Amino acid sequence: MRLANAMLQTFVLLTCGAVGSSAEPAYAQEQADVADVPSQDLTVRENQKMRYFLIGAADGAATPEEPYGLLVVLPGGDGSSDFNPFLRRMHKHVLGSRWLVAQAVAPRWDDKQFDKVVWPTAGLPYAGAKFTTEELIEAIIADVRARSKIDVKRVFLLGWSSGGPACYATMLRKESSVTGAFIAMSIFKPNQLPSLENAKGKPVYLLQSPDDRVTPFVFAEEAEKALGAAGCKVQLKQYAGGHGWLGNVWDMIGEGIQWLEKPETATANTPAPLSFADPGLEDPAVGKKPAAWFLPGIFYTTELGYKVESETKAVFAGERCARLERVDPKGNAAFGNLMQVIDATPYRGKRVRYRAAVRTEVEGEKNTAQLWLRVDRVDKNKNEVIAFFDNMHERPIRSNEWRHYEIVGDVASDANDICLGMILVGSGQAWLDDASFEVVGADVALTGAEAEKTKVSVPADKASGNVLANPSFEDGDKTPADWKSGADIDGVEYVWDKNVGHKGKASLCLNKTAKRYFPVAQWYQIVAREADRPSLKVSTQVKAEAVTKAIIDVIFLDENDEMISHEWAAYIGAKEAKDPPAQHDWKEYQGKVKIPAKAKKIQIGLQIYGPGKVWFDEIKAEYVD
Ligand SMILES: [Ca+2]
Ligand SMILES: [Ca+2]
């Protein structure tokens, strides 16, 4: 889990950071992503039933100095050619230039076959088949070896779902040319397999979800036990969510391949507790595993175009520092990343500060260095989610001089991991030294845009009993102090109206011209839940112009800023279809809502659903019985 998190950085940073676009349709994105990954559509000895794709080497490409590793893949489902883009992406994001992928295509012997077995084997034959899947795989391996220089010690199988049993069968053959296998989401039926002893000493990596309803987890557990007893090196890795490639797919695959290459050193299921280490960047092996600071994705680091080196000149403190550099302008990644992973357990429920000295040699607007820190936790549905993230996106580093920068974040009470590091976006170089990681008091302000969204306000005038700050909306510079506006929505105008006020000069206004309810627009403020009185009374002055539906909403958040529940304190507008929209000058609305016991923060939202123009002023929220 921990390693997977570490390797995930690339993707999370892409989604949250300066680069990448999630707006592109997935298909177009996938096509663009694999455009530079060569894939040849081949047959063995021109036998149309022995079709495979050779991914990673262009036809006639020069042979590399080091022989390739070969990963033969038996896709699940119907084993069809449709999996080609997925496997090209896998080659690009997980394997890189050290590897070739041979994607076998399941031969279809007749129309009924696929209802019975996609990949027939000696132990589970299909009457119409002219050869078994084991024979097909061996033929493909021989064919690839005739075309390219292959390292015979790095010939692995990857099969999932319907592709799993044939992977077991092939690896377990006597004289199998397969080094080991990665088998995911598969059944395991030893009575349909050769002797398990045949694979003695070979590594087998199993990936299966305890939530799997298609191929229950017990198959993987039995495989682990039986293969282990037969002398195989076995690793069973779990993931949440059920049957299929779910979650951090590239990391999951990368972790498995890494283990297959070096099963002695990997410890995927028993990670040692990790604490913050090498604060001075003094380890000469910095950037390489198992150094504390490392580049995630050891398979594709150089391919991404970045490298890290320990350096002794012009350090900030001590003997050494680390230099992160873009070395290949054609590299695949938009940024390089030097990071470490820390076990979150000792920091749960605490506020932490990551601080480090950075200097850069970067040019232009697009090239920057940034420190980053992320806290991961697992939510109710066992999905890994981000509890805190700040990558200095809005305050990038471009200074040539050593300076300290910092990130302050909260560690959720159920956090798993804390990941932190430095990224270099674009080209140039960045140096890192003198890092620290420590617990700080709650009075130290959080950093980052995400933190800003759920930051609590503190009222200036507590004696009034009003828990809200800036309740008359008179304070602020460019935006009203302590009040935030929700997402930009077509057909909605957020107005801090300084010409219309019930009291003073200003009010908050929402003007919705779009003739629909969703998405809802809101001005909001978040406060800490303080008094132990059970209810909150909210009152406000409202002015309405043809308002179909506006709401004073009270939202309750838990310690992880997740919504527990919400309740409407007031409704402005037409409640029945036949009712006219609300049209009135200033008028008070009020309501009382019950506060759930678990609430740690309370968000007051001034919302507009349907079309209309509404102003709010003189808002008050107070604890009552
Ligand atoms: Ca140092
Ligand atoms: Ca006012």
Side-chain angles (χ1 to χ4, degrees), residues 279-282 315-321 432-434:
L281 286 297
E282 297 293 308
V315 302
F316 177 85
E319 301 288 317
R320 295 175 171 274
C321 67
L432 182 70
D433 203 352
D434 197 40

Side-chain angles (χ1 to χ4, degrees), residues 45 47 88 101 182 199 215 258 293 405 473 518 607 611 616:
R45 298 185 299 270
N47 181 341
R88 287 162 76 187
V101 170
F182 182 149
T215 52
Q258 184 183 3
W293 297 95
Y405 302 87
F473 315 110
F518 296 97
Q607 304 176 336
F616 303 91

Side-chain angles (χ1 to χ4, degrees), residues 159-207:
W160 67 89
S161 199
S162 63
C167 284
Y168 284 121
T170 307
M171 184 192 65
L172 289 165
R173 290 223 304 185
K174 275 192 175 169
E175 317 288 321
S176 168
S177 53
V178 168
T179 319
F182 182 149
I183 298 169
M185 319 147 204
S186 174
I187 56 166
F188 173 71
K189 296 200 168 167
N191 62 338
Q192 293 174 357
L193 296 170
S195 167
L196 304 189
E197 309 278 336
N198 291 345
K200 192 174 174 179
K202 290 189 176 182
V204 187
Y205 189 86
L206 305 171
L207 179 71

Side-chain angles (χ1 to χ4, degrees), residues 121-192:
T121 62
L124 183 64
Y126 186 71
K130 299 275 193 305
F131 51 79
T132 63
T133 302
E134 298 92 303
E135 290 164 333
L136 170 66
I137 293 175
E138 290 292 355
I140 289 172
I141 292 170
D143 199 62
V144 176
R145 285 175 62 178
R147 294 168 184 275
S148 302
K149 211 160 122 191
I150 298 295
D151 180 352
V152 294
K153 293 200 197 74
R154 285 166 59 220
V155 177
F156 295 105
L157 303 178
L158 167 61
W160 67 89
S161 199
S162 63
C167 284
Y168 284 121
T170 307
M171 184 192 65
L172 289 165
R173 290 223 304 185
K174 275 192 175 169
E175 317 288 321
S176 168
S177 53
V178 168
T179 319
F182 182 149
I183 298 169
M185 319 147 204
S186 174
I187 56 166
F188 173 71
K189 296 200 168 167
N191 62 338
Q192 293 174 357

